[in-house]
Amino acid sequence: MNTPKLSKEDVLNAFQFRHACKEFDATKIVSEEDINFILRTANLSPSSFGFEPWHFVVVQNKELRELLKPVAWGAPLKLDTASHFILGLSMKAPMTKWDSNYIMHMMKDIKQFPKDVIEMYSKFYREFQERDFNLDTDKKLFDWASKQTYIALANMMTSAALVGIDSCPIEGFHQEKAEALLKEKFDVDTNKYGLSYMVAFGYRKDEPAHAKSRRKQEEIITWKK
């Protein structure tokens, strides 16, 4: 495996370039190669215990995009202009509970753990849920899964910025109504998956109106030497 050779300057430049793009240039389309690269970085993202509690729906169908508008007040302009529009789904309790079929599938078939390691890993994961993080309700388990799915979101947006592609993360939607729509029109099993966020990708129509503003680094970091 080759050691990455990106310069720090290139990485920071990508972070400066990235902004929440409100309107995209609808005439410019992200190539299949580039969107697959972005999705690959989601696929390679880390997750707690490595259980990947996510799924991503790429919505290119115009009729389906139209259906999203009434339940996603923060998305209409992006739905109209973005090259690619993605729904970030997170697994619900039936998928992520320590003794679920999915977790067993991950350990046995994906990670290919031997039997004794599966038993040990299951014990650690059960203790993590029941003791360490107190994930004792369906809501807590979904919120925990969403934390992992947001890691993939950050990686997708950063990888996009590194190759000059714009993005906009979206939480401006009515979760209950959106999930009802996903169940009815998008073939999403909402017993297993919930909607954590939406994200649009494309190329900016205009430059940002304001320079990026952030608190000083000293305000957000405490060193204990």
Side-chain angles (χ1 to χ4, degrees):
M1 185 179 296
N2 295 327
T3 301
K5 295 181 180 179
L6 274 176
S7 72
K8 292 185 280 292
E9 182 181 359
D10 285 340
V11 174
L12 289 175
N13 184 56
F15 275 82
Q16 290 287 356
F17 169 83
R18 191 217 63 80
H19 77 293
C21 186
K22 304 305 181 187
E23 182 176 5
F24 298 88
D25 184 339
T27 68
K28 294 182 179 179
I29 304 300
V30 175
S31 70
E32 183 177 354
E33 178 184 357
D34 282 345
I35 197 64
N36 283 333
F37 157 72
I38 292 168
L39 290 166
R40 181 64 172 148
T41 65
N43 182 212
L44 290 172
S45 292
S47 58
S48 185
F49 288 85
F51 284 149
E52 306 172 45
W54 49 52
H55 190 85
F56 305 96
V57 179
V58 185
V59 186
Q60 298 304 92
N61 183 286
K62 290 184 178 180
E63 292 181 1
L64 291 178
R65 287 195 184 191
E66 284 294 323
L67 291 176
L68 286 169
K69 289 180 180 180
V71 300
W73 52 265
L77 193 55
K78 290 81 156 179
L79 286 162
D80 284 337
T81 62
S83 171
H84 290 74
F85 196 89
I86 297 174
L87 308 177
L89 306 182
S90 300
M91 292 181 179
K92 293 184 176 180
M95 300 284 280
T96 56
K97 192 140 185 248
W98 69 270
D99 58 350
S100 72
N101 290 335
Y102 171 76
I103 296 301
M104 184 57 64
H105 160 69
M106 286 296 298
M107 292 190 292
K108 182 179 179 182
D109 303 319
I110 304 302
K111 298 181 178 299
Q112 298 185 343
F113 288 158
K115 185 177 180 181
D116 60 328
V117 175
I118 290 176
E119 291 176 356
M120 178 186 67
Y121 221 70
S122 293
K123 179 177 181 292
F124 287 154
Y125 187 47
R126 181 177 185 177
E127 289 177 351
F128 169 78
Q129 288 192 340
E130 296 182 348
R131 182 192 65 193
D132 298 337
F133 265 51
N134 192 29
L135 302 176
D136 57 353
T137 67
D138 288 359
K139 179 65 164 60
K140 287 181 180 179
L141 279 168
F142 175 74
D143 289 345
W144 171 80
S146 283
K147 290 180 182 179
Q148 320 310 315
T149 308
Y150 272 83
I151 297 172
L153 170 65
N155 287 339
M156 285 192 287
M157 291 192 298
T158 299
S159 64
L162 282 165
V163 294
I165 295 171
D166 288 292
S167 62
C168 185
I170 301 160
E171 288 185 319
F173 58 87
H174 189 289
Q175 194 170 43
E176 184 177 347
K177 292 178 180 178
E179 289 187 10
L181 176 66
L182 296 186
K183 179 179 181 180
E184 181 181 359
K185 299 294 184 180
F186 288 71
D187 298 320
V188 172
D189 186 343
T190 53
N191 291 317
K192 295 181 177 179
Y193 293 94
L195 180 62
S196 292
Y197 56 77
M198 304 172 179
V199 58
F201 293 97
Y203 296 95
R204 64 188 66 180
K205 182 179 179 182
D206 301 302
E207 290 300 315
H210 305 285
K212 191 182 292 290
S213 60
R214 292 292 188 273
R215 287 187 289 159
K216 292 182 179 180
Q217 194 164 310
E218 302 79 53
E219 292 184 43
I220 67 167
I221 298 170
T222 299
W223 290 77
K224 297 293 186 181
K225 295 184 178 180

